[in-house]
Amino acid sequence: MYAYDEIDRTLVNERVSEFRDQVQRRLSGELTEDEFKILRLQNGVYLQLHAYMFRVAIPYGTLATNQLRALAHVARKYDRGYGHFTTRQNIQFNWIKLAELPDALADLAEVGIHAMQTSGNNMRNVTSDQWAGVAPGEIEDPRIWSELIRQHTTLHPEFSFLPRKFKIAITASDHDRAAIKIHDIGLKLIKNEKGETGFEVLVGGGLGRTPFIGKTIKHFVHGRDILSYIEAILRVYNQYGRRDNIYKARIKILVHELGIEKFSREVEEEWQHIRNSSLQIDDEVIEDIRSRFTYPNYEKLPHMPDELRQAAADPEFEAWRKNSVSPHKVQGYSIVTVSLKPIGAPPGDATAEQMDALADLADKYSFGEIRVGHEQNLALPHVAKRDLPALWKALDKLGLATPNVNLITDIIACPGLDYCSLANARSIPIAQELTRRFANHELANLIGRLHINISGCINACGHHHVGHIGILGVEKNGEEVYQITIGGRADEGAALGNLIGPGVKFDEVADVIEDVVEAYLALRERPEELFIDTVKRLGVEPFKERVYATR
Amino acid sequence: MTSPLEQKKIKIAGPSVVTANRTWDGIVVYRTAAKSWSADLSEAAIVRDSDEAKALLAESVADDVGAIGPYIAPVQVGADGKIEPGNLREQIRRTGVTIGSTAQA
């Protein structure tokens, strides 16, 4: 966990007071909606179909149990008893009243949570690997650098009115769980030949209307220079990024139009002006941040405790363990992914009761720490293997032990037309129906790793472009129509999916996905060949033929 | 933000209402003939041509403290006078999410 200092606490509390005053002036009519909109957006407050939506940041996806309980409290007291975890390590509340928002923010501020820059044309929540600090083989804890960037960019005046929103993600592992290649800036922690810590820097990734995979702009930037290098990128973007057309305002468009070579030359030139300035990071600064992250006092535990050996006789436990439990860098411990994808439920939702109960379990079994992943699941990062059977029983009672992590029912979905004012089509009911179709865990395991991502409009909050199967809802002649892509991926091999053919109606989507999956099962060379690899080997055609032969 | 009145020429294809979200709590509301807002669609003022729509939208926009983001939405009016939303989006705004109650209190 990261311990905030007095500056952080003061900043958050002052922000609450400021927003309380702004809300009061809005409700009294002193501020018009035009004047107020930018202020509410900078505090994570959107207007959606049914009500205001309140987006709260969970920096680098790390939560303490008192923070998770505070989120449960907000869900219960100010909303309708649940929250929705997003693809960028935020949580959204869908039914909040503007008049009560300052109180909700004040309650969250007591535990160091805020909603600053979760919306608006500024630097958004810096995201990272939900396994940060515990993943075997990672270079070092990427949250230290995430926190450095968070501190530098929060309320930074130069980055508060960018041409468009700006997102950074950081990973420190070879396997990218943070989707860095679809971010405006993606950072991969690496060591150079001297053993020094630095970053491979990618730029210009993003989804939405015009999707691009990020390109490497510099193969190694020393850790001490990372702030100045990011600032150089942002300055070039701030200067040349388009403000005249919202659809062309993201940095990905600038990088594409200039070309990565010219863009990198511009950044390099800017960087030479500022790299030896006060933006150069002293080792002491990094060490101070590092010292504020506390790590558990792990026990020396056996690799295979008796409790685990005995529980292995229970096939349900074993199914969950094999699916949801991952290796930890410390012997005797595991990382447990908590699926927020129960069959038939909206992906990523958790009730206040589940949040409270999970906080209790994290206190008991995970040194009081919870993580949030971009796949809209949670994780308990420090679970002793001996505790796995007891934890599984407790999670199962809460409906949080569905053994479907990374399987076909572990669907990423945006809120879609059920909630979102931008959406053209519903996402969640499609996800619900698909989870029912593939509810059989034996079938899901037979299919193997397969990510379905669903967006209800071209803005792509459900990351449909990078789903192994992507589903995009659009509106055509007043009807919901869904375009299906296959072959996308969001990890270190990030790629955009390819369209398999004409869009299909709402009622046909699940049938089409079944056809795609049946085609895969027939076409794969061996059971170990994943869906994504079969698509890579064969292309779209055989799947297209299967789906459209009878339609 | 550009005023909805300036966005483009207002054209309607059938009976319509002006809908928005109430400022203090965000709930869906409809402009009434009494120059107020109601959460009940049956109390909405119905407009049937572009001039009426423009006038109703203009007075709605002017009530910036009462509700935000007003726009014209199609409705269907039954023979009995009952008003129903004219598309899925407005149906969802009126009756709520279509996803069941799995995670709702």
Side-chain angles (χ1 to χ4, degrees):
Chain A
M1 290 305 306
Y2 181 76
Y4 286 101
D5 62 15
E6 195 52 38
I7 294 172
D8 295 306
R9 285 190 287 274
T10 302
L11 181 74
V12 170
N13 288 328
E14 286 181 350
R15 184 72 167 206
V16 174
S17 301
E18 182 185 62
F19 191 57
R20 188 182 294 282
D21 176 64
Q22 291 163 349
V23 169
Q24 283 171 351
R25 287 192 286 146
R26 170 69 188 122
L27 293 175
S28 72
E30 188 180 336
L31 289 178
T32 65
E33 176 60 18
D34 278 1
E35 293 164 333
F36 180 67
K37 185 178 179 183
I38 192 168
L39 304 174
R40 67 171 164 81
L41 286 176
Q42 286 176 348
N43 288 281
V45 183
Y46 287 77
L47 181 68
Q48 295 288 31
L49 285 189
H50 310 283
Y52 292 99
M53 183 269 281
F54 177 39
R55 182 183 291 157
V56 177
I58 302 168
Y60 33 86
T62 297
L63 277 173
T65 50
N66 66 331
Q67 293 175 320
L68 185 57
R69 289 191 185 94
L71 294 173
H73 161 77
V74 167
R76 189 179 290 115
K77 183 170 181 181
Y78 302 104
D79 212 85
R80 293 194 181 177
Y82 67 101
H84 174 75
F85 289 94
T86 77
T87 54
R88 289 210 75 256
Q89 296 178 328
N90 297 306
I91 185 170
Q92 295 178 175
F93 299 100
N94 293 300
W95 308 93
I96 209 110
K97 296 177 176 66
L98 180 62
E100 294 180 351
L101 259 164
D103 289 340
L105 271 170
D107 291 352
L108 292 175
E110 287 182 16
V111 294
I113 298 184
H114 60 80
M116 280 181 270
Q117 298 181 194
T118 56
S119 175
N121 295 335
N122 49 47
M123 183 74 78
R124 301 294 185 85
N125 190 28
V126 178
T127 57
S128 189
D129 182 353
Q130 68 270 30
W131 294 2
V134 292
E138 75 177 6
I139 298 289
E140 65 175 53
D141 191 337
R143 294 174 303 166
I144 293 159
W145 301 93
S146 308
E147 174 59 22
L148 173 74
I149 296 167
R150 186 197 70 79
Q151 289 182 12
H152 182 67
T153 58
T154 298
L155 304 186
H156 191 307
E158 196 173 332
F159 310 141
S160 294
F161 298 94
L162 294 168
R164 200 66 183 91
K165 58 188 171 183
F166 203 92
K167 302 172 181 178
I168 295 180
I170 307 179
T171 186
S173 293
D174 285 337
H175 178 49
D176 176 13
R177 281 172 292 268
I180 67 168
K181 291 189 175 180
I182 57 169
H183 278 74
D184 296 290
I185 290 179
L187 299 175
K188 184 180 180 191
L189 259 170
I190 51 176
K191 298 273 190 191
N192 66 8
E193 62 279 3
K194 294 179 190 167
E196 296 168 320
T197 300
F199 297 88
E200 179 186 352
V201 181
L202 294 92
V203 68
L207 301 178
R209 188 175 298 263
T210 316
F212 286 107
I213 300 299
K215 300 170 182 68
T216 297
I217 181 171
K218 205 160 183 69
H219 289 285
F220 186 83
V221 174
H222 196 287
R224 67 172 169 261
D225 295 322
I226 194 62
L227 282 187
S228 61
Y229 196 75
I230 288 172
E231 188 140 334
I233 291 174
L234 279 158
R235 284 186 173 191
V236 171
Y237 173 50
N238 226 347
Q239 184 171 359
Y240 297 118
R242 288 182 63 170
R243 288 177 156 84
D244 62 321
N245 184 338
I246 191 172
Y247 303 121
K248 299 191 177 202
R250 295 290 292 270
I251 194 172
K252 63 188 176 185
I253 303 294
L254 181 65
V255 172
H256 176 69
E257 290 187 350
L258 286 181
I260 187 67
E261 291 78 17
K262 179 163 173 49
F263 182 83
S264 61
R265 281 199 302 275
E266 294 280 347
V267 170
E268 196 69 26
E269 190 177 320
E270 183 65 36
W271 189 38
Q272 295 312 319
H273 291 304
I274 59 176
R275 69 178 295 187
N276 294 319
S277 68
S278 59
L279 290 171
Q280 195 170 78
I281 306 303
D282 295 336
D283 290 344
E284 298 84 65
V285 172
I286 294 299
E287 288 314 310
D288 179 59
I289 292 175
R290 196 189 306 275
S291 71
R292 291 178 179 280
F293 279 94
T294 54
Y295 296 91
N297 190 15
Y298 296 113
E299 296 177 66
K300 276 196 168 179
L301 296 174
H303 173 66
M304 178 56 80
D306 290 342
E307 293 88 342
L308 202 55
R309 194 173 285 117
Q310 288 160 13
D314 183 337
E316 287 189 35
F317 170 77
E318 273 298 275
W320 173 80
R321 185 190 63 78
K322 286 178 181 170
N323 174 264
S324 304
V325 178
S326 303
H328 194 284
K329 70 179 185 183
V330 177
Q331 179 181 293
Y333 287 85
S334 296
I335 305 165
V336 171
T337 299
V338 178
S339 170
L340 293 183
K341 316 289 177 64
I343 302 303
D349 280 10
T351 65
E353 290 70 28
Q354 287 175 324
M355 288 188 247
D356 275 339
L358 191 62
D360 292 345
L361 292 175
D363 275 337
K364 192 170 181 181
Y365 297 120
S366 185
F367 294 92
E369 198 173 322
I370 303 104
R371 301 289 179 83
V372 183
H374 90 271
E375 301 90 346
Q376 299 179 289
N377 289 319
L378 303 179
L380 297 175
H382 318 286
V383 180
K385 287 183 174 180
R386 66 177 176 216
D387 294 331
L388 286 170
L391 174 63
W392 168 67
K393 283 182 183 168
L395 288 173
D396 195 36
K397 280 184 186 167
L398 296 168
L400 296 173
T402 310
N404 63 349
V405 175
N406 291 326
L407 299 178
I408 192 167
T409 53
D410 185 5
I411 295 170
I412 291 175
C414 73
L417 189 57
D418 280 291
Y419 293 100
C420 179
S421 60
L422 298 175
N424 303 119
R426 287 171 289 169
S427 302
I428 296 171
I430 298 286
Q432 290 173 301
E433 177 59 19
L434 287 171
T435 62
R436 292 185 198 105
R437 294 281 182 108
F438 295 98
N440 183 310
H441 294 311
E442 285 180 19
L443 172 62
N445 277 300
L446 177 73
I447 297 165
R449 187 174 187 126
L450 203 169
H451 298 293
I452 297 180
N453 294 0
I454 309 172
S455 302
C457 77
I458 194 64
N459 291 300
C461 295
H463 294 185
H464 65 275
H465 298 104
V466 289
H468 295 178
I469 298 175
I471 303 172
L472 165 64
V474 298
E475 185 262 329
K476 196 172 178 184
N477 300 324
E479 269 196 275
E480 296 165 291
V481 172
Y482 295 83
Q483 298 174 350
I484 315 292
T485 54
I486 59 174
R489 57 195 297 173
D491 59 8
E492 60 281 2
L496 304 173
N498 293 303
L499 200 61
I500 63 166
V504 297
K505 293 180 179 176
F506 180 88
D507 293 335
E508 297 173 326
V509 174
D511 292 341
V512 167
I513 301 305
E514 277 190 337
D515 285 352
V516 170
V517 171
E518 282 175 13
Y520 155 64
L521 291 174
L523 291 165
R524 68 183 180 187
E525 285 187 325
R526 57 192 187 285
E528 295 75 30
E529 185 179 66
L530 300 180
F531 174 83
I532 191 71
D533 296 325
T534 303
V535 175
K536 190 173 182 181
R537 179 169 58 83
L538 297 174
V540 165
E541 280 307 315
F543 296 92
K544 184 176 182 175
E545 282 171 23
R546 175 62 180 253
V547 167
Y548 294 100
T550 56
R551 286 189 173 83
Chain B
M1 187 175 76
T2 307
S3 163
L5 295 173
E6 296 166 8
Q7 286 172 0
K8 51 187 154 183
K9 195 171 179 183
I10 293 170
K11 281 198 280 189
I12 61 173
S16 302
V17 298
V18 169
T19 183
N21 292 77
R22 194 160 64 192
T23 300
W24 76 270
D25 62 357
I27 69 161
V28 174
V29 288
Y30 305 93
R31 191 68 177 174
T32 70
K35 299 187 186 301
S36 181
W37 296 99
S38 171
D40 187 347
L41 178 59
S42 71
E43 295 178 1
I46 305 291
V47 291
R48 296 180 186 277
D49 63 42
S50 298
D51 288 342
E52 284 181 0
K54 193 171 181 180
L56 189 65
L57 186 59
E59 71 163 66
S60 303
V61 169
D63 184 10
D64 182 64
V65 180
I68 64 173
Y71 61 93
I72 296 164
V75 291
Q76 294 172 349
V77 183
D80 58 356
K82 191 174 178 189
I83 307 171
E84 294 290 345
N87 59 36
L88 178 62
R89 184 180 198 270
E90 294 307 318
Q91 184 67 45
I92 290 171
R93 286 182 79 238
R94 185 192 183 197
T95 56
V97 296
T98 65
I99 60 177
S101 57
T102 321
Q104 294 181 57

